[in-house]
Amino acid sequence: MKGHPIYVMGRFLEDFAVGQIFRSGPVRIDKEQIKAFGAEFDPQPFHLDEEAARDTIFGGLAASGWHTAAVTMRLLVESDLKPAGGIVGAGADEFRWPRPVRPGDELRTESEVLEVRPSRSRPDQGLIKVRTTTLNQHDEAVQIIVANLMVPRRQQGEKIALGSAPKPGIC
Amino acid sequence: MKGHPIYVMGRFLEDFAVGQIFRSGPVRIDKEQIKAFGAEFDPQPFHLDEEAARDTIFGGLAASGWHTAAVTMRLLVESDLKPAGGIVGAGADEFRWPRPVRPGDELRTESEVLEVRPSRSRPDQGLIKVRTTTLNQHDEAVQIIVANLMVPRRQQGEKIALGSAPKPGIC
């Protein structure tokens, strides 16, 4: 179990399969959170103040896309995806915000495994490609990201401790 | 000047040209910031605790990629890019974290305009494609994003108030 003692309870490359779906519970985004994130990282009127936001392209207060992305990450960490070694992204093949997040929206995630493959350069590692859709309370997509995550391969003696890996499409 | 009074001082689609480069000043990322962001949005050991981070793939404390992205946004807002209407992204064509951000790193951005085009569906809007590279104090890229930003077109009577638009590659 050397190399990743923290997440030894998580899934290894061999536990992932194309078609698996992992979901997170919802979290509510309120206007104070939108403004606090905006003030720290994206200080533009449409993320800071209802009145000033009215005359912008958003027509009202909206969360920074990076706030949506950060909340999505939190939901992913709390979801049942749990790769051994943690959720470590190398980057994204696709990344879109189809609509803004508004105060009071409740966000949840659905992540589908699109690809599972061993690393060419590192025999102890592999990559999974995962499409994570962040949905609001109306089941509208507010963010779609197709990310490549690094996942360790199982070494001798390691066991999955989360129960069985979910079957494609049913978890 | 209807529709975007806040950012009327910024650049319209007509003020952007392929090859323009916009830079930001640097900002230092300290370990308290890395841990605070991690605790709120990406609670994994390598973003939370030096000791726990040692045995992970990062080999030590590293900023969440979403923290790097959020800081990059802040730097972009403070840079001279300043589209009229604000920096409003529809998504990204490319998004990578080539290496982690470590405590004490100083980050800055370089943004190059790759494409400028009117919107097909909205005559008052256009899109610019911008590659933003976030660099550390060793001039190593820690994030590369190619984003599509929505920019209003100039309407009659509107003037740029930032001085002339920069010439390609020299600003």
Side-chain angles (χ1 to χ4, degrees):
Chain A
M1 300 191 197
K2 271 188 306 179
H4 31 70
I6 303 298
Y7 277 84
V8 73
M9 304 297 277
R11 299 181 203 285
F12 292 88
L13 189 71
E14 293 78 3
D15 303 312
F16 286 103
V18 172
Q20 287 172 338
I21 295 176
F22 300 92
R23 296 187 172 87
S24 80
V27 67
R28 191 173 186 277
I29 310 299
D30 63 32
K31 74 176 173 197
E32 287 72 28
Q33 291 167 321
I34 288 175
K35 292 177 184 181
F37 191 100
E40 189 168 0
F41 295 115
D42 196 347
Q44 305 194 86
F46 32 73
H47 304 318
L48 295 172
D49 182 85
E50 289 90 338
E51 193 63 36
R54 207 168 295 165
D55 288 329
T56 68
I57 192 169
F58 290 101
L61 195 68
S64 168
W66 301 108
H67 190 186
T68 304
V71 168
T72 296
M73 186 66 203
R74 173 88 199 201
L75 291 172
L76 268 185
V77 170
E78 291 170 355
S79 80
D80 206 32
L81 183 68
K82 298 213 186 316
I87 301 178
V88 179
D93 292 352
E94 187 184 334
F95 189 32
R96 292 187 290 126
W97 293 299
R99 57 179 61 71
V101 170
R102 303 293 186 174
D105 276 1
E106 291 192 1
L107 305 186
R108 62 185 179 87
T109 60
E110 284 186 9
S111 301
E112 180 176 355
V113 178
L114 303 181
E115 203 178 304
V116 179
R117 61 186 162 91
S119 165
R120 278 176 216 152
S121 55
R122 293 195 51 180
D124 59 334
Q125 292 282 332
L127 285 158
I128 60 173
K129 192 188 292 292
V130 179
R131 184 203 296 117
T132 295
T133 306
T134 311
L135 300 147
N136 64 20
Q137 67 277 24
H138 309 297
D139 291 332
E140 298 165 330
V142 295
Q143 182 182 288
I144 297 165
I145 183 166
V146 177
N148 298 299
L149 306 180
M150 295 164 69
V151 182
R153 302 185 72 172
R154 180 171 280 115
Q155 295 165 42
Q156 203 169 18
E158 282 171 327
K159 300 260 185 251
I160 186 167
L162 283 170
S164 302
K167 292 200 181 73
I170 60 158
C171 53
Chain B
M1 299 192 199
K2 272 190 306 182
H4 32 70
I6 302 296
Y7 276 86
V8 71
M9 304 296 277
R11 301 179 202 286
F12 292 88
L13 189 71
E14 293 78 2
D15 303 312
F16 286 103
V18 172
Q20 286 171 338
I21 294 177
F22 300 93
R23 296 188 173 88
S24 80
V27 67
R28 192 173 185 277
I29 311 298
D30 63 33
K31 73 176 173 196
E32 288 71 29
Q33 292 167 322
I34 288 175
K35 292 178 184 181
F37 191 99
E40 188 168 2
F41 296 115
D42 195 348
Q44 304 194 87
F46 33 73
H47 304 318
L48 294 173
D49 181 85
E50 290 90 337
E51 192 63 35
R54 208 166 296 165
D55 288 329
T56 68
I57 193 169
F58 289 103
L61 195 67
S64 169
W66 301 108
H67 190 185
T68 305
V71 168
T72 296
M73 185 65 202
R74 174 87 200 203
L75 291 172
L76 269 184
V77 170
E78 291 170 354
S79 80
D80 206 32
L81 183 69
K82 297 212 186 317
I87 301 178
V88 179
D93 292 351
E94 187 185 332
F95 189 31
R96 291 187 289 126
W97 294 299
R99 57 178 62 70
V101 170
R102 302 293 186 174
D105 276 1
E106 292 193 359
L107 304 186
R108 62 186 180 85
T109 60
E110 284 186 10
S111 299
E112 180 175 354
V113 178
L114 303 181
E115 203 178 306
V116 179
R117 63 188 160 92
S119 165
R120 279 174 215 153
S121 56
R122 294 195 51 180
D124 59 335
Q125 291 283 333
L127 285 159
I128 60 172
K129 191 187 292 293
V130 179
R131 183 202 297 117
T132 295
T133 306
T134 311
L135 299 148
N136 64 20
Q137 67 276 24
H138 308 297
D139 291 332
E140 297 164 330
V142 295
Q143 182 181 288
I144 298 165
I145 183 166
V146 177
N148 297 298
L149 306 179
M150 296 164 68
V151 182
R153 301 184 71 171
R154 178 171 281 116
Q155 296 164 43
Q156 203 168 20
E158 284 173 327
K159 299 262 186 248
I160 186 167
L162 282 171
S164 302
K167 292 198 181 72
I170 61 158
C171 54

